[in-house]
């Protein structure tokens, strides 16, 4: 593979010639953006173009491989080097259908401003008990019993200190909160006063009032907040998840919320999401708890959000075709065992 790491410098390369195969539904806005970022590049759209155009395809631009190329066989694209996804997460990417020599990139940072706003909306909804208090308004009642949580002077811990985390940090500090972070190495990042390495997650949780999970769902992060981690958090803490639901143990969270009425949670990402049918399933009645608030993975559903994400993803594809090293090449061993 001519590039393997996620960051760092590489010697200049010659432009790459070959075809771009696009799986996203063809529409004028997409075609215009592809033409803008990859001018003069031969481009094919959809699975039906594979039999004729597959042999000179060097890059793919996809949303869901399963949906767009249900019968995909990598032998149809023997020169394929690079796959760029429009979505950020790669937890559901079918790595097993691509040779290890093919580099795959998620759209890292592609939705960051919008997900950051959603995270802050959930922090406020939970901190100010907006839903239970709205219910009081509906009933014509004053004198709420649930106290507000203020951001002023509170410690906000952001798990997974990447693009979304940095966008949250910038926006939340002006409320008077201090920002801590957790990443894999513990190396400092702009926006965080203190960074913990992933193996000190419990210490980081203990030190914080508000926790916002923005981590990718990987073999390491799956279920990494369970009963013990929840117990380590302050009884009055607030947990928001805008990354992937399954980084948190669903049963443990429900139990914790039920047993600790002063603990609050706000979730945007869920354990069971079926985007084909538009169905969100939970195994516990979270929405009936007064200390829980949720949004249906809706952080990036505004019209301009897609345009922003499209440009970010195509910018990375343009790097590939210019012969530059694309950003954010995934380490597939984080998602599938090394032998898969
Ligand atoms: N709700 C939505 O609509 C929505 C939209 C977009 C994305 N997302 C989710 O948000 C995630 C983050 O997106 P992003 O654009 O911010 O990506 P990002 O810039 O790659 O941020 C993720 C960060 O997580 C850190 N990380 C990886 N493994 C970790 C671990 N085991 N423990 C702690 N930190 C870890 C990485 O930092 P280091 O490399 O420094 O360790 C990385 O910078 C995506 O993977 C996706 O699941 C949700």
């Amino acid at each position: 593979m001519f590039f393997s790491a996620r960051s760092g410098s590489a010697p200049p390369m010659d432009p790459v010639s070959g075809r771009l195969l696009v799986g996203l539904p063809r529409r004028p806005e997409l075609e215009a953006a592809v033409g803008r970022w990859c001018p003069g590049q031969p481009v094919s759209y959809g699975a039906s173009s594979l039999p004729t155009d597959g042999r000179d395809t060097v890059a793919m631009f996809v949303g869901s491989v399963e949906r767009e190329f249900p019968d995909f066989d990598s032998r149809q694209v023997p020169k394929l080097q690079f796959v760029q996804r429009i979505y950020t997460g790669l937890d559901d990417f079918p790595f097993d259908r691509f040779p290890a020599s093919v580099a795959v990139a998620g759209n890292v940072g592609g939705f960051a401003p919008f997900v950051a706003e959603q995270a802050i909306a959930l922090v406020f909804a939970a901190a100010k008990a907006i839903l239970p208090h709205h219910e009081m308004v509906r009933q014509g009642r004053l004198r709420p019993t649930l106290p507000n949580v203020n951001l002023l002077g509170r410690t906000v811990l952001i798990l997974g200190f990447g693009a979304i985390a940095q966008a949250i940090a910038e926006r939340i500090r002006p409320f008077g909160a201090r920002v801590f972070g957790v990443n894999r190495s513990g190396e400092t990042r702009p926006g965080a006063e203190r960074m913990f390495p992933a193996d000190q997650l419990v210490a980081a949780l203990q030190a914080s009032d508000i926790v916002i999970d923005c981590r990718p769902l990987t073999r390491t992060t799956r279920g990494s907040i369970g009963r013990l981690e929840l117990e380590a958090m302050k009884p009055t803490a607030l947990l928001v998840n805008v990354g992937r639901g399954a980084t948190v143990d669903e049963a443990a969270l429900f139990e914790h919320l039920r047993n600790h009425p002063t603990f609050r949670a706000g979730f945007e990402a869920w354990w069971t999401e079926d985007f084909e049918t538009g169905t969100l399933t939970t195994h516990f009645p979270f929405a009936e708890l007064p200390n829980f608030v949720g949004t249906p993975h809706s952080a990036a559903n505004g019209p301009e959000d897609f345009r922003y994400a499209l440009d970010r993803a195509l910018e990375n594809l343009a790097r590939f075709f210019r012969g530059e090293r694309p950003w954010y090449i995934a380490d597939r061993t984080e998602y599938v065992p090394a032998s898969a």
Side-chain angles (χ1 to χ4, degrees):
M1 191 162 44
F2 62 95
F3 34 66
S4 57
R6 185 173 168 277
S7 59
S9 58
M13 316 273 301
D14 292 331
V16 177
S17 61
R19 183 171 297 277
L20 171 64
L21 176 60
V22 180
L24 296 166
R26 188 171 193 167
R27 51 177 161 146
E29 184 190 13
L30 174 65
E31 283 186 75
V34 169
R36 213 167 45 244
W37 283 103
C38 306
Q41 204 63 49
V43 185
S44 299
Y45 287 83
S48 58
S49 62
L50 258 174
T52 45
D53 297 336
R55 299 211 74 76
D56 64 343
T57 291
V58 289
M60 290 173 72
F61 183 31
V62 300
S64 158
V65 173
E66 264 87 2
R67 188 172 56 237
E68 294 152 9
F69 301 99
D71 303 317
F72 179 76
D73 179 340
S74 62
R75 286 173 297 191
Q76 294 171 300
V77 283
K79 293 186 183 158
L80 184 67
Q81 297 177 46
F82 179 51
V83 180
Q84 173 68 49
R85 206 178 183 205
I86 182 81
Y87 305 123
T88 312
L90 292 172
D91 45 286
D92 59 345
F93 187 84
F95 282 103
D96 56 338
R97 298 179 74 179
F98 292 83
S101 57
V102 174
V104 178
N107 194 0
V108 167
F111 300 89
F114 320 115
V115 182
E117 287 192 18
Q118 192 82 0
I120 291 168
L122 284 169
V123 166
F124 277 116
K128 308 301 177 190
I130 296 293
L131 290 185
H133 287 171
H134 177 80
E135 180 57 20
M136 289 186 66
V137 171
R138 206 182 60 79
Q139 295 171 4
R141 288 168 52 217
L142 291 173
R143 299 199 193 104
T145 50
L146 275 171
N148 275 355
V149 173
N150 298 321
L151 267 70
L152 184 65
R154 292 291 188 285
T155 299
V156 175
L157 174 71
I158 312 183
L159 310 179
F161 216 87
I164 294 173
Q166 288 185 23
I168 294 172
E170 271 171 30
R171 290 157 174 76
I172 215 163
R173 267 199 318 269
F175 289 102
R178 63 209 298 243
V179 174
F180 288 176
V182 173
N183 61 13
R184 284 171 293 189
S185 61
E187 267 175 46
T188 55
R189 294 279 183 273
E193 202 174 297
R194 182 172 175 193
M195 190 67 70
F196 294 79
D199 61 7
Q200 286 176 26
L201 175 64
V202 168
L205 294 172
Q206 280 167 337
S208 307
D209 303 295
I210 294 168
V211 177
I212 307 176
D213 196 347
C214 308
R215 293 172 300 168
L217 180 61
T218 64
R219 294 165 68 211
T220 314
T221 60
R222 184 178 288 278
S224 58
I225 296 187
R227 195 172 55 79
L228 290 179
E229 289 74 18
L230 291 165
E231 288 294 344
M233 292 174 71
K234 295 181 184 177
T236 52
L238 199 158
L239 172 65
V240 162
N241 190 343
V242 291
R244 287 290 180 267
T247 56
V248 178
D249 182 294
E250 185 179 0
L253 177 66
F254 185 77
E255 188 76 6
H256 195 77
L257 283 164
R258 210 176 40 184
N259 296 339
H260 300 79
T262 59
F263 187 95
R264 304 177 194 191
F267 270 54
E268 143 79 359
W270 303 86
W271 297 270
T272 312
E273 298 173 328
D274 184 342
F275 289 101
E276 294 301 317
T277 57
T279 315
L280 185 172
T281 314
T282 58
H283 298 98
F284 303 90
F286 284 97
E288 288 170 22
L289 297 173
N291 48 347
F292 185 86
V293 58
T295 51
H297 208 136
S298 55
N301 73 354
E304 71 270 28
D305 307 0
F306 179 74
R307 278 197 292 278
Y308 181 93
L310 191 57
D311 278 336
R312 291 294 302 258
L314 286 169
E315 187 181 5
N316 210 24
L317 258 171
R319 287 180 67 83
F320 166 78
F321 280 114
R322 285 199 302 266
E324 292 166 22
R325 170 198 174 90
W327 293 309
Y328 314 123
I329 302 300
D331 173 357
R332 65 169 66 203
T333 64
E334 298 222 323
Y335 299 94
V336 288
S339 55

